[in-house]
Amino acid sequence: MNRLLPLFLILILLSSCATKSPGEKEVVEVSMDQVAVLDEDLAGMLKFNENSDTVKAEVTVKSFIDGDTTHFFVPTSISEDGVLKARFLAVNTPESTGKIEEWGKKASEFTASKLSSASSIIIESDDGTWNLDSTGSRYLVWIWYRSGEDQDYRCLNLELLEEGLALPSSSANNRYGSWCQRAIQEAKSLGLNIYSNEKDPDFFYGDALEVTLKELRTNPSFYDGKKVAFDCIVTRNWNNSVYVEAYDEETESSFGITVYYGYSLSGSGLEILQVGNRVRIVGTMQYYAAGDSYQISGLKYREMKKDDPGNIRLLEKGVEILPRVVTPENLNKGVVEVIVEDDIVPLTLSDALLGTLVEIRGISVDEVYVTTKEESSSFGAMTMTCTKDGESIQIRTLPLYEDGELLTERDFLGFVIDVTGVLDTYEGKSQIRVFSIDDITVY
């Protein structure tokens, strides 16, 4: 690691080593030991004690959440479902799963890089039992990893503090408190990352609030009227709007929203919003009364100023889109628990998946209503009431054509179908919106 002392400390050392008599030419001798190393690689110096009175388990990674949270596969003797949600002791990394903060992405990537390449990972409690955090759903642990069988274990918690990628969280009041304090002071003295007074190269410094879709969907009223920015995948494009979503590792669920682009984008901007693209959206969150839902609007793309932080931006093309497989019972009765600022917020599954692409299989079409010419310009659009296992779900389609022929009620009524579409609501009830006959299979 061999980080050098800041310049002002070197100057202090130089002045303290200089000696001269009046009229003498100044001669200064400074050894490398005096200027070279503040960093002692504390994460390497702290040794893992397998014989201590703590409880320990060798684990493997199930999913990376952010810099200080990871889900591990563990023995069923520790957790009945074989999964332990770990919150790292003594550290608090900047956010990367809710309100996006400076250095949050780097901290998350640092944790993932260390653990994904580890040959062995051990979690350790702070005392003789496994202890839950304030949410009651995550366990507070020390994370030890080694990169090879001939290597010593390193403490990742300590390493995050030492690298300046985490702020202290009760760091002095634990088993390795003195080591944590040394690591914090080291990071501050070296001006690393959080303590660098420099801009995070992975953070956008525009006027929009950097968030995730999960954050928007769990706190919509807070962001109403605010300019926001987030990464997502475009799943469908219809009626001057796109449906977008982003997967959240912690809940193992996607969160989505409608983005209205209207007539404000040129050809280049519209190319960015192609289905299957991963994009950065920048726009204003607002409540759309006619649709009884929140949406994002006010998008812009300035071709001559591509680096403008207010622009929408293409991040990746050709991303595979996998719809969430659900049942009517899931949508009507399912619940998802979301951690928001260390509180657990229960959401119905239908609320959580609103605006996302879902797939529902083996539903029976019991009723079909077809929109007539007199009622609407969307002549031929259908609303199907379907059931499975005693639970109902509504399917809403655009006018559907096959071989140039408009499909009607007789093509679906009484049949069993599989459907892929975007989950939305109509008059307070969940429905799946279908945009193409390619998204329906009839049996």
Side-chain angles (χ1 to χ4, degrees), residues 29-300:
E29 293 183 2
V30 183
S31 71
M32 287 303 295
D33 289 340
Q34 289 174 297
V35 300
V37 180
L38 260 182
D39 179 4
E40 299 181 282
D41 187 15
L42 299 174
M45 293 170 61
L46 177 60
K47 300 303 179 183
F48 173 64
N49 181 3
E50 62 181 14
N51 298 316
S52 68
D53 58 358
T54 59
V55 286
K56 311 169 187 69
E58 188 167 12
V59 300
T60 57
V61 173
K62 179 181 185 289
S63 54
F64 295 107
I65 308 304
D66 59 14
D68 56 28
T69 307
T70 301
H71 295 176
F72 295 104
F73 290 115
V74 297
T76 54
S77 58
I78 298 175
S79 173
E80 288 185 5
D81 63 0
V83 176
L84 182 141
K85 299 177 181 179
R87 178 66 165 79
F88 301 0
L89 276 161
V91 303
N92 184 17
T93 60
E95 288 296 320
S96 62
T97 61
K99 300 174 185 177
I100 308 299
E101 297 175 336
E102 294 174 88
W103 307 106
K105 182 178 180 181
K106 186 172 183 178
S108 182
E109 291 176 346
F110 183 86
T111 290
S113 68
K114 296 300 182 182
L115 297 185
S116 61
S117 61
S119 63
S120 174
I121 304 169
I122 292 176
I123 57 173
E124 179 187 23
S125 69
D126 200 51
D127 52 33
T129 61
W130 297 111
N131 300 304
L132 291 166
D133 73 350
S134 60
T135 69
S137 64
R138 301 179 297 191
Y139 285 87
L140 296 165
V141 294
W142 299 99
I143 309 296
W144 298 86
Y145 73 94
R146 65 182 181 189
S147 56
E149 298 303 317
D150 59 342
Q151 302 292 312
D152 289 335
Y153 282 97
R154 297 175 65 85
C155 181
L156 181 58
N157 313 52
L158 190 63
E159 202 166 17
L160 285 164
L161 290 173
E162 194 175 7
E163 293 288 335
L165 290 173
L167 294 171
S169 177
S170 300
S171 296
N173 304 318
N174 57 65
R175 174 171 293 270
Y176 304 115
S178 61
W179 288 89
C180 291
Q181 293 302 104
R182 288 172 62 183
I184 295 163
Q185 290 306 312
E186 180 181 286
K188 288 181 177 180
S189 298
L190 292 168
L192 299 179
N193 295 314
I194 291 172
Y195 305 108
S196 67
N197 294 320
E198 297 177 358
K199 287 188 174 182
D200 175 4
D202 296 320
F203 186 81
F204 289 94
Y205 288 90
D207 58 350
L209 300 173
E210 297 290 331
V211 294
T212 61
L213 267 176
K214 180 178 75 171
E215 173 71 11
L216 288 181
R217 293 290 297 114
T218 52
N219 294 289
S221 59
F222 175 82
Y223 293 100
D224 191 9
K226 294 182 173 66
K227 190 175 181 180
V228 296
F230 54 90
D231 294 354
C232 57
I233 296 171
V234 180
T235 63
R236 291 292 185 270
N237 190 330
W238 176 70
N239 197 26
N240 295 326
S241 299
V242 288
Y243 292 92
V244 301
E245 63 183 66
Y247 185 73
D248 174 63
E249 291 283 359
E250 188 154 33
T251 57
E252 297 182 341
S253 178
S254 291
F255 291 85
I257 200 166
T258 306
V259 177
Y260 176 72
Y261 58 81
Y263 302 93
S264 63
L265 295 179
S266 64
S268 297
L270 293 175
E271 282 294 320
I272 290 173
L273 298 180
Q274 291 296 305
V275 172
N277 285 353
R278 188 170 68 88
V279 300
R280 169 178 160 84
I281 294 293
V282 184
T284 301
M285 179 84 158
Q286 62 178 200
Y287 180 70
Y288 176 52
D292 189 26
S293 62
Y294 284 91
Q295 67 176 19
I296 304 297
S297 63
L299 277 62
K300 70 177 183 180

Side-chain angles (χ1 to χ4, degrees), residues 1-7 10 32 35-38 189-190:
M1 295 164 79
N2 295 326
R3 304 186 183 100
L4 297 180
L5 287 172
L7 180 59
I10 294 176
M32 287 303 295
V35 300
V37 180
L38 260 182
S189 298
L190 292 168

